[in-house]
Amino acid sequence: MPHQRSPYGNASTIHNHKRRAKWHDYSAPGTYMITMVIEGRKPLFGRLEIRPKPHVELSPLGHTVQEIELAKIHQFYPMIHLWHHCIMPDHLHAILHIESPLPEKRHLGTVMAGFKSGCTKAARQLLGDPELSLYEQGYNDRILLDDGQLDRWKRYLDDNPRRLALKRSHPHLFTTVYGINVAGHECQIFGNQFLLDIPDKEAIVVHRADNDSDFARKRQAWLACGERGGVLVSAAIAEREKQVMREAMDRGYCLILLRNNGFPEVYKPNGEAFGACAEGLLLQISPWDYRPERRVITREECLFLNGMAERMERGD
């Protein structure tokens, strides 16, 4: 069957993942997680080492960026504090806190432009290339709104080397594959493709008419499938569906998650999903292309994905 056309516009649109939030004042106090990528993903900042535990051994340029260039942000803008950072071989993350309003005509973009310029100047000197363009154009920012979010991102940055080691050890489990036929639809998938070959599947779909007794009976059957090595398939839309999928992941069962959005160009799952991918226990599937805008899933999409899960259970 032909690829399912996204209801959100032309699939050929080129999305920019570095757009700023138009509603936000980037000169005002706030906390941001910044990501900057080296042009061409060249590992100029260092190399991944596995022992004694996964970590990045910084190059002279990596050390310069960490010890000198990042410190310059606070030197030039005393109201900006570097709360956390992580330098990987081909990119860096920094959590910046703006304590008080920036000077007139200054905003986060001008701060990052100055930082990138300083890093590029250092790279040209260290690498002997006066024409070097160090970073990709632009940068990504994530606005951190609460302390819990901040703590989660700190843990995420600290865990970056371990995740990179896992990805390099199991590249086939961390690659987006396009044009795979699933339940009669051309899809993009990410994770352990061989879960599709396991015939024992159960679709986790909770209907509005299901009472507590119905749900308890279904939950028992679903978890029994996971326990015997079968695969649980769900879009995990309803809260009870999410509960079962979380419990199944905690138990180490095989899962297929149906998504109402595809995968961005550089995609990696977070948290427990990353570990499940590394162990070959998770496959994510979307019949639609990726779109960057956030929106609530529609009823039409819910019905489509639930129907897809049920067809996969039947082997259609």
Side-chain angles (χ1 to χ4, degrees):
M1 289 185 66
H3 179 76
Q4 291 298 303
R5 191 172 185 83
S6 169
Y8 308 107
N10 191 333
S12 64
T13 300
I14 300 175
H15 299 298
N16 179 2
H17 308 300
K18 299 173 182 175
R19 295 187 181 120
R20 307 279 77 82
K22 295 180 179 179
W23 50 268
H24 185 74
D25 181 0
Y26 282 95
S27 65
T31 306
Y32 307 90
M33 209 277 281
I34 305 295
T35 301
M36 292 184 174
V37 179
I38 293 178
E39 186 74 42
R41 288 271 176 179
K42 296 177 181 177
L44 300 182
F45 289 153
R47 66 181 185 275
L48 179 70
E49 296 288 346
I50 304 300
R51 292 182 173 84
K53 65 178 182 178
H55 67 282
V56 175
E57 189 71 28
L58 294 179
S59 66
L61 176 59
H63 278 293
T64 298
V65 170
Q66 176 172 262
E67 297 163 12
I68 299 176
E69 299 304 326
L70 281 170
K72 286 181 180 178
I73 295 176
H74 181 66
Q75 292 172 12
F76 284 101
Y77 297 93
M79 69 288 297
I80 300 180
H81 300 274
L82 176 65
W83 275 4
H84 211 68
H85 75 279
C86 173
I87 299 182
M88 298 299 288
D90 60 1
H91 66 280
L92 69 84
H93 303 286
I95 297 179
L96 300 176
H97 176 67
I98 301 178
E99 188 175 46
S100 57
L102 292 173
E104 187 177 357
K105 297 184 180 179
R106 294 289 188 270
H107 52 77
L108 186 64
T110 55
V111 174
M112 291 299 97
F115 171 73
K116 292 174 72 174
S117 177
C119 292
T120 298
K121 182 178 179 180
R124 288 174 176 177
Q125 292 175 344
L126 287 168
L127 302 177
D129 183 354
E131 303 298 324
L132 176 68
S133 177
L134 181 60
Y135 291 107
E136 287 184 354
Q137 184 177 5
Y139 63 93
N140 178 269
D141 74 80
R142 182 183 293 266
I143 304 169
L144 306 184
L145 301 175
D146 59 69
D147 291 340
Q149 193 178 18
L150 174 63
D151 291 339
R152 287 192 298 272
W153 276 107
K154 285 182 177 179
R155 292 193 297 270
Y156 173 85
L157 297 192
D158 291 340
D159 197 39
N160 253 352
R162 184 189 69 86
R163 291 197 306 274
L164 178 59
L166 285 172
K167 288 179 66 176
R168 290 185 177 178
S169 300
H170 309 284
H172 63 290
L173 299 177
F174 293 92
T175 302
T176 303
V177 182
Y178 300 87
I180 301 298
N181 188 288
V182 181
H185 302 284
E186 188 175 313
C187 299
Q188 47 188 264
I189 67 174
F190 186 99
N192 185 2
Q193 181 175 344
F194 295 105
L195 294 183
L196 292 171
D197 300 332
I198 297 177
D200 186 9
K201 295 186 178 73
E202 288 275 354
I204 300 179
V205 178
V206 178
H207 300 286
R208 292 180 179 179
D210 291 343
N211 57 34
D212 290 346
S213 178
D214 294 330
F215 173 70
R217 174 177 49 81
K218 289 183 176 181
R219 174 184 168 278
Q220 184 176 12
W222 292 331
L223 295 178
C225 173
E227 185 65 31
R228 64 178 178 259
V231 182
L232 304 183
V233 185
S234 182
I237 299 167
E239 185 56 39
R240 283 182 166 179
E241 295 166 359
K242 294 176 183 177
Q243 291 173 5
V244 175
M245 290 292 274
R246 281 195 293 266
E247 184 174 359
M249 181 172 286
D250 290 342
R251 294 188 181 196
Y253 296 162
C254 295
L255 306 176
I256 294 179
L257 177 65
L258 304 180
R259 298 164 49 111
N260 73 319
N261 199 1
F263 304 96
E265 183 178 352
V266 180
Y267 171 74
K268 52 185 176 183
N270 293 327
E272 294 175 340
F274 187 96
C277 273
E279 296 178 37
L281 299 175
L282 177 64
L283 175 65
Q284 299 182 64
I285 300 175
S286 178
W288 296 301
D289 293 318
Y290 175 73
R291 53 193 184 276
E293 66 274 11
R294 292 185 178 182
R295 61 186 310 283
V296 178
I297 188 170
T298 66
R299 175 169 172 75
E300 179 186 19
E301 287 179 314
C302 292
L303 294 175
F304 181 89
L305 293 176
N306 284 341
M308 189 173 172
E310 290 169 339
R311 289 192 298 276
M312 292 176 68
E313 174 183 294
R314 296 193 301 266
D316 294 352

